[in-house]
Amino acid sequence: MHNPDFPGDTQSRYDRLVESYLATELRLVNSGLPSAQKSLSTLLAEPQPQISCADGTQQMIKRSELRYLSSLLDPADYDSLLLPMLIEMAGQHSEATVLCRTETELTLISAILEMHLQYERPGRFRIYKPQLALVRKKMPTTTQYVFSMPTANQEYDGALTKHREIGNN
Amino acid sequence: MAQLIKVRPTKIELVKLKRRLSLSSRIHKIMKDRLSILTMEFLQAARQTVTAKQHTIDAMNQAYKAMTIASGYHGYVALQKELSASQADITVTAGPRNVAGVRIPSLELNEPTGGLRGYNMAQTSSLVDSASDTAREALRAIIELAELQRGLELLGTEINRTKRIANALEYILIPNLKATIRFLAMKFEERDREEKARLKRVKVILARKEA
């Protein structure tokens, strides 16, 4: 109820609305995240390959895409490739980070891009926007975006990198 | 022009506003990220749609041409009789795929296994085989085009919505929060200065009384 003595009351109700709206947006952005990843061999064995998403829905995986991925890999690597592959966006518009558990993801993306890639940190490597567009074109259903909030540490790292770049120039 | 948010001028409100500003800035970054991804996907889908449309037109042309040649060779009635037995239901696997929060339909034509065509290959020529192949190719192209066009529409709508949210954050919410924080900070500084002046005045009065 609106209290005229405290105009802040109405405002806070408005703010709560805005915040809940933004929270919904955040949930929506990451609604396609898989609840569990499946290996390439498991998906190839399924009659209709599907992945369960965090919001309870199912995401279809194209069989033609799985065939394409299997053509790029050794059959021994089918078990170690977990799909969908996660591509993290963390506030840097020009680049993305591919999250990987094994070497297979790196091998696969290197084969798709036809260039040598290497780990930036253990379990993740960086690709740039034009490369991301190519990866998404080849793997529209077997990759998934993850939007994460930059933490204070990451912001500090970014600022530090920028500072070093300015210093080098 | 940024507007001030009506809040009580207390330190707690200032802390709350600062927290809200930090959260809004982070959400703004995510929205910008999402917008750039959606735009990238939209442009890619637009390019693919143009190619797919051209491919569909070419495939349909070829299919009709091959069918005309085949019916010319075998005779329309004979061909129809032969092909009437080969009619089979087309099955398309459909399901959604999620692109940065947008659910886009994904379609895939199920290829028949075994390579059987459904008509007597001994009594027909290779022209019928060619017509069948081109027709299947045309069907594949139509399904691909349908998927791309629907995706394009959905991505376009979502880009508009995300752009509105990102702009609202960038030009209204964040500037208003910043302006209010600046106003409250100024108000507290002013209060401090007033307090200091008051204390000095009291000190002078007390000094006078003692004298």
Side-chain angles (χ1 to χ4, degrees):
Chain A
M1 208 160 87
H2 174 59
N3 184 349
D5 294 337
F6 296 106
D9 275 7
T10 321
Q11 196 57 47
S12 68
R13 202 185 302 150
Y14 165 76
D15 286 339
R16 273 201 296 274
L17 192 74
V18 170
E19 270 169 27
S20 72
Y21 181 66
L22 290 175
T24 314
E25 277 300 315
L26 277 186
R27 261 203 305 278
L28 179 77
V29 161
N30 282 329
S31 62
L33 284 182
S35 54
Q37 288 171 299
K38 287 183 185 173
S39 68
L40 178 60
S41 53
T42 314
L43 286 169
L44 280 168
E46 285 181 12
Q48 282 187 351
Q50 281 184 337
I51 296 281
S52 307
C53 296
D55 61 348
T57 57
Q58 298 283 323
Q59 169 153 328
M60 180 193 152
I61 306 267
K62 281 191 176 177
R63 197 159 268 286
S64 55
E65 216 173 298
L66 293 176
R67 278 197 292 268
Y68 168 69
L69 295 186
S70 55
S71 72
L72 294 174
L73 291 171
D74 268 354
D77 292 333
Y78 290 0
D79 282 327
S80 56
L81 179 68
L82 294 176
L83 296 170
M85 280 171 66
L86 299 176
I87 299 171
E88 189 188 29
M89 306 296 298
Q92 296 141 330
H93 306 308
S94 59
E95 57 196 42
T97 311
V98 180
L99 307 178
C100 46
R101 286 191 197 167
T102 58
E103 196 88 2
T104 319
E105 283 96 336
L106 189 70
T107 316
L108 181 72
I109 301 288
S110 299
I112 290 171
L113 297 175
E114 293 174 354
M115 64 184 288
H116 175 69
L117 293 170
Q118 51 187 348
Y119 285 118
E120 182 195 338
R121 270 188 282 164
R124 48 181 64 209
F125 59 93
R126 191 177 295 194
I127 53 173
Y128 294 93
K129 203 84 176 284
Q131 296 168 339
L132 176 65
L134 189 61
V135 170
R136 283 288 298 165
K137 191 180 174 185
K138 301 272 186 188
M139 303 168 68
T141 58
T142 47
T143 47
Q144 195 57 255
Y145 291 114
V146 183
F147 291 89
S148 63
M149 276 202 192
T151 58
N153 280 345
Q154 279 172 337
E155 278 175 0
Y156 175 74
D157 285 349
L160 206 64
T161 315
K162 207 176 260 180
H163 177 72
R164 278 182 193 144
E165 277 168 8
I166 291 166
N168 289 339
N169 292 333
Chain B
M1 176 92 183
Q3 285 182 339
L4 291 181
I5 300 168
K6 287 178 192 167
V7 286
R8 280 176 288 193
T10 58
K11 295 253 174 178
I12 289 193
E13 285 295 341
L14 183 65
V15 172
K16 275 185 191 169
L17 284 176
K18 279 183 180 171
R19 267 188 211 149
R20 209 176 294 158
L21 177 64
S22 152
L23 182 71
S24 305
S25 307
R26 284 178 178 188
I27 291 172
H28 180 238
K29 270 185 187 168
I30 289 179
M31 286 293 147
K32 280 271 183 190
D33 256 354
R34 188 180 185 217
L35 191 61
S36 81
I37 287 295
L38 288 175
T39 312
M40 186 192 83
E41 294 278 345
F42 181 82
L43 291 175
Q44 200 157 289
R47 275 192 289 268
Q48 281 178 321
T49 307
V50 172
T51 317
K53 206 170 238 178
Q54 193 54 50
H55 179 60
T56 310
I57 292 167
D58 292 345
M60 293 293 278
N61 268 340
Q62 278 180 357
Y64 275 113
K65 229 177 254 176
M67 198 63 186
T68 312
I69 293 169
S71 62
Y73 183 78
H74 288 282
Y76 186 72
V77 178
L79 190 68
Q80 206 175 22
K81 204 172 104 185
E82 196 63 53
L83 294 183
S84 60
S86 74
Q87 280 181 0
D89 285 338
I90 300 159
T91 51
V92 176
T93 310
R97 71 184 172 101
N98 203 313
V99 180
V102 189
R103 288 166 65 79
I104 291 174
S106 199
L107 308 171
E108 195 172 36
L109 180 69
N110 290 339
E111 302 290 339
T113 50
L116 292 174
R117 290 171 188 270
Y119 54 81
N120 189 349
M121 291 178 82
Q123 286 179 1
T124 52
S125 68
S126 65
L127 293 170
V128 180
D129 300 347
S130 164
S132 166
D133 288 342
T134 48
R136 185 162 284 282
E137 185 54 40
L139 198 61
R140 220 175 282 137
I142 289 169
I143 288 168
E144 192 192 344
L145 185 63
E147 181 189 332
L148 284 168
Q149 280 198 333
R150 184 69 189 134
L152 203 64
E153 281 171 25
L154 291 169
L155 283 171
T157 316
E158 195 61 26
I159 285 172
N160 271 339
R161 213 176 67 84
T162 313
K163 204 183 268 179
R164 273 219 301 275
I165 296 169
N167 283 346
L169 280 165
E170 191 174 348
Y171 297 111
I172 296 175
L173 209 69
I174 293 175
N176 286 359
L177 283 168
K178 278 183 180 167
T180 314
I181 287 171
R182 211 178 305 126
F183 171 74
L184 285 186
M186 271 175 12
K187 198 155 192 165
F188 293 141
E189 279 172 17
E190 185 61 31
R191 240 184 235 173
D192 282 351
R193 278 195 291 273
E194 270 176 19
E195 189 63 28
K196 231 176 238 175
R198 197 179 300 123
L199 284 173
K200 273 185 184 172
R201 181 80 185 140
V202 170
K203 202 176 168 186
V204 169
I205 290 168
L206 285 175
R208 263 187 211 159
K209 270 188 185 173
E210 278 176 13

